[in-house]
């Protein structure tokens, strides 16, 4: 019952935490880089959702003056989380762009977007290189 | 001296600005010179600020855009922050002097200025992490430094460095998102992001006993995030790949400076946001101490197994980060001073080791394996001497920088009740392990003198020309820190007390 009470009053936060877990699992457990990227996005967006939900007040409006009467709304939502989320989204977009650029480079080099396979290939290449070095003229 | 109050802002803003301007320059040499000028300017300003703040024994906050305390965005500078900024810019300046010789040659010509632009951004973001007084700005600069760090790993454009920088990026993304989650939780119970109001709000919450779970979870999340980013014990496995595959200058910056800047953020959170008694009662300091102790031993054990000089150095960084965490985990002012001194000593020593290793590798046909490095020190004597000296310093021989930090760490361990024994034993073990992994490396590079002498003797002229290299200055700095440590410690004691 207590759990249900929490879920009904803090629905957004609970959803955010569930999304967080889903994103983190995708990010860590999947080998596919695109899946990882989606997971990372889900993870950070869930944190933003949590943050936004903490700044919400029931019945609150956007904290903007009425253009005609120049009065503030009686109940306004907390604008600090909203503006910080905006910054956070910018940061998260740039990280995603970098991630995807790196993925493209890896795909060009190895022809796969599976990180485990890429790491295996790297290990193979290194072993070959070592063999060359020790086998060659020293 | 109002003008000195702008130093924190300027020393963040100048590298950032020059980072963007360098995108317009395509000539690598010019870009290098511009970066060196900017870094020297930052170093000069930071020295002046350190001297000024130390002589007045004060600290100040710089309010951005003159929004007053609970809302604005602030920078804060005290003697400790100014000293860290000095060390960071001086170390980077010496690295730039070195990188003109070989590190830059490994990067293709059209990328050199891009590389230096990213290096500028990295310097700016590290200084921002040192000076910031605001947890959300700290998150933003954590992410900036993540992108910059991954870019300087992948600049070599080999398959290995691509894959390794991807692994690095994944781990760092998780780390900074954990940090953000912690900040969000803390904001939702206190309503503040600046450090002073947060400290008051937390003190009040602790007194009334409200939200105690939320406070500890938030501290835990921030600590885990920063621990992942600074690669302390369970998270250190990504270091050797990334630092081992990058060019020497990148490895030196990542190992010697970047990892420590996250530790500095953690120290500021513990000292200025939560304060030590609260952190102690939440048991986070004990966790840090245990992680640090394990890192000291595990890092050194992994380093022993390596037959690749750069991977060995990367694992050694993991062990040295352990020392810093132990200093923090002791939970006393003296421990914090020891940790801060080790940050400085490690910055100078590890950057020298990586640069010397890079030079030795360049003189051994580009291979970083011990077998190929045989006799490398005879081919590049200055780098050989530098590497040997760095190794001796990390082992903890008196008159060199890292000895002093170990001495202070051991001294501060004595008033740590049950912790004393563990810290002293781990210090002893890790010193022996340090020696055990540096001896094979050092003996490999100095072996085979006879074969070499038959081919070519190092001419005196050649040695002299090499001596104007940055390595010489790094060696001088190492000895200076080891002998004249007293003023540095004084500044740190003052700075930590003011934090």
């Amino acid at each position: 019952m207590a759990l249900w009470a929490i879920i009904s009053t803090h629905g957004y936060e609970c959803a955010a935490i569930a999304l967080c877990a889903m994103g983190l699992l995708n990010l860590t457990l999947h080998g596919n880089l695109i899946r990882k990227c989606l997971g990372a996005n889900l993870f950070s967006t869930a944190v933003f959702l949590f943050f936004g939900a903490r700044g919400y007040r029931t019945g609150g409006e956007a904290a903007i003056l009425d253009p005609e009467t120049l009065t503030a709304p009686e109940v306004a939502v907390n604008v600090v989380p909203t503006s910080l989320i905006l910054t956070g989204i910018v940061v998260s977009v740039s990280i995603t762009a970098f991630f995807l650029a790196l993925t493209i480079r890896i795909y060009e080099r190895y022809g796969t977007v599976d990180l485990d396979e890429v790491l295996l290939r790297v290990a193979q290449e290194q072993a070959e290189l070592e063999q060359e070095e020790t086998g060659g003229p020293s | 001296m109002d003008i000195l109050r702008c130093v924190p802002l300027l020393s963040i803003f100048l590298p950032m600005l020059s980072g963007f301007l360098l995108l317009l320059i395509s000539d690598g040499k010019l870009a290098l010179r511009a970066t060196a000028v900017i870094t020297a300017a930052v170093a000069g300003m930071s020295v002046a600020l350190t001297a000024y703040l130390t002589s007045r024994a004060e600290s100040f906050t710089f309010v951005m855009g003159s929004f007053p305390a609970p809302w604005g965005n602030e920078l804060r500078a005290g003697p400790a922050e100014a000293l860290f900024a000095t060390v960071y810019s001086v170390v980077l300046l010496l690295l730039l002097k070195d990188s003109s010789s070989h590190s830059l040659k490994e990067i293709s010509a059209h990328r050199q200025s891009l590389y230096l632009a990213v290096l500028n951004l990295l310097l700016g973001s590290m200084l921002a992490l040192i000076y910031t007084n605001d947890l959300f700005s700290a998150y933003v600069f954590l992410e900036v430094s993540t992108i910059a760090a991954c870019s300087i790993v992948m600049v070599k454009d080999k398959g290995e460095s691509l894959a390794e920088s991807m692994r690095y990026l994944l781990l760092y993304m998780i780390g900074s998102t954990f940090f953000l989650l912690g900040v969000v939780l803390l904001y939702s119970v206190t309503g503040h992001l600046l450090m002073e109001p947060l400290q008051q709000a937390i003190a009040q919450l602790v007194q009334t006993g409200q939200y105690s779970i939320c406070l500890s979870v938030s501290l835990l999340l921030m600590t885990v995030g920063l621990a992942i980013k600074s690669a302390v014990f369970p998270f250190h496995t990504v270091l050797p790949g990334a630092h081992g595959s990058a060019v020497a200058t990148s490895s030196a910056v990542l190992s010697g400076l970047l990892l420590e800047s996250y530790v500095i953020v953690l120290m500021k959170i513990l000292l200025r946001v939560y304060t030590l008694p609260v952190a102690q009662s939440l048991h986070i300091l004990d966790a840090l101490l245990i992680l640090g102790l394990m890192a000291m031993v595990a890092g050194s054990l992994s380093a022993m197994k390596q037959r690749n000089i750069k991977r060995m150095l990367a694992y050694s960084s993991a062990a040295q980060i352990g020392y810093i965490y132990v200093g923090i985990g002791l939970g006393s002012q003296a421990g914090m001073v020891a940790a801060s001194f080790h940050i400085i000593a490690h910055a100078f020593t590890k950057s020298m080791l990586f640069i010397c290793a890079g030079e030795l590798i360049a003189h051994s046909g580009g291979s970083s394996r011990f077998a190929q490095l045989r006799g490398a020190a005879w081919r590049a004597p200055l780098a050989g001497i530098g590497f040997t000296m760095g190794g001796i310093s990390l082992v903890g021989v008196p008159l060199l920088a890292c000895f002093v930090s170990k001495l202070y760490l051991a001294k501060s361990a004595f008033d740590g009740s049950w912790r004393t024994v563990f810290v002293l034993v781990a210090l002893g073990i890790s010193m022996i392990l340090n020696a055990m992994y540096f001896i094979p490396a050092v003996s490999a590079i100095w072996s085979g003198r006879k074969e070499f002498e038959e081919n070519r003797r190092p001419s005196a002229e050649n040695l002299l020309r090499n001596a104007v290299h940055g390595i010489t200055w790094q060696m001088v700095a190492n000895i200076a820190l080891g002998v004249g440590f007293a003023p540095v410690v004084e500044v740190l004691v003052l700075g930590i007390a003011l934090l």
Side-chain angles (χ1 to χ4, degrees), chain A residues 27 36 40 43 48 50-51 54 78 80 84 91 95 98-99 102-103 105 109-110 115 119 126 133, chain B residues 111 136 143 150-151 154 157 159-160 166-167 170 173-174 177 180 184 187-188 193 367 369 372:
Chain A
L27 178 57
K36 274 185 190 293
F43 188 27
F48 300 148
F50 186 89
F51 203 6
R54 296 309 301 153
N78 188 352
V80 178
L84 293 182
V91 171
I95 291 266
F98 186 77
F99 194 115
L102 198 52
T103 310
R105 289 314 277 274
R109 178 77 169 70
Y110 290 101
L115 188 60
L119 290 175
Q126 286 209 310
E133 273 174 12
Chain B
R111 284 196 175 179
F136 196 79
E143 294 282 40
C150 291
S151 322
M154 66 179 278
D157 207 20
E160 188 198 356
M166 180 51 98
R167 271 179 46 177
L170 286 171
M173 268 161 69
I174 298 174
T177 313
L180 179 64
V184 166
Y187 178 80
S188 62
L193 288 166
S367 168
R369 277 165 225 296
Q372 266 66 41

Side-chain angles (χ1 to χ4, degrees), chain B residues 285-366:
Chain B
L285 292 176
D286 295 339
L288 290 180
L289 183 78
I290 291 165
L291 282 186
L293 291 175
M294 283 159 89
M296 274 161 73
V297 179
S300 304
L301 281 176
S302 310
M304 265 169 67
K305 287 187 215 142
Q306 299 303 315
R307 283 283 158 272
N308 176 322
I309 198 164
K310 286 180 90 174
R311 293 179 77 90
M312 183 198 89
L313 288 178
Y315 272 120
S316 139
S317 293
Q320 301 301 320
I321 288 287
Y323 284 94
I324 301 172
Y325 269 81
V326 168
I328 297 172
L330 284 170
S332 60
Q333 298 272 335
M336 290 286 176
V337 171
S340 309
F341 193 91
H342 198 60
I343 289 176
I344 295 171
H346 184 244
F348 277 107
T349 312
K350 195 44 74 65
S351 61
M352 176 166 82
L353 277 166
F354 266 115
I355 282 296
C356 292
E359 185 92 25
L360 293 172
I361 291 165
H363 283 85
S364 313

Side-chain angles (χ1 to χ4, degrees), chain B residues 341 398-404 477-485:
Chain B
F341 193 91
L399 299 184
L400 291 172
C402 290
F403 164 74
V404 180
N478 217 309
I479 296 175
L481 269 180
V483 179
F485 55 88

Side-chain angles (χ1 to χ4, degrees), chain A residues 82-96:
Chain A
T82 324
S83 53
L84 293 182
I85 290 168
L86 214 56
T87 317
I89 288 173
V90 173
V91 171
S92 149
V93 164
S94 24
I95 291 266
T96 309

Side-chain angles (χ1 to χ4, degrees), chain A residues 24-91:
Chain A
L24 191 58
L25 285 179
N26 262 306
L27 178 57
T28 46
L29 298 183
H30 256 282
N32 189 318
L33 287 174
I34 304 293
R35 286 290 279 269
K36 274 185 190 293
C37 188
L38 288 174
N41 264 302
L42 199 59
F43 188 27
S44 54
T45 313
V47 178
F48 300 148
L49 176 64
F50 186 89
F51 203 6
R54 296 309 301 153
Y56 181 70
R57 291 196 191 116
T58 24
E61 290 174 44
I64 302 171
L65 293 181
D66 192 303
E68 276 152 26
T69 58
L70 288 182
T71 47
E74 263 173 42
V75 188
V77 295
N78 188 352
V79 288
V80 178
T82 324
S83 53
L84 293 182
I85 290 168
L86 214 56
T87 317
I89 288 173
V90 173
V91 171

Side-chain angles (χ1 to χ4, degrees), chain B residues 22 27-39 93 96 116:
Chain B
L22 282 184
D27 180 25
K29 281 222 172 85
L30 189 64
L32 181 69
R33 218 163 289 158
T35 312
V37 168
I38 294 287
T39 317
L93 192 62
L96 288 173
L116 288 160

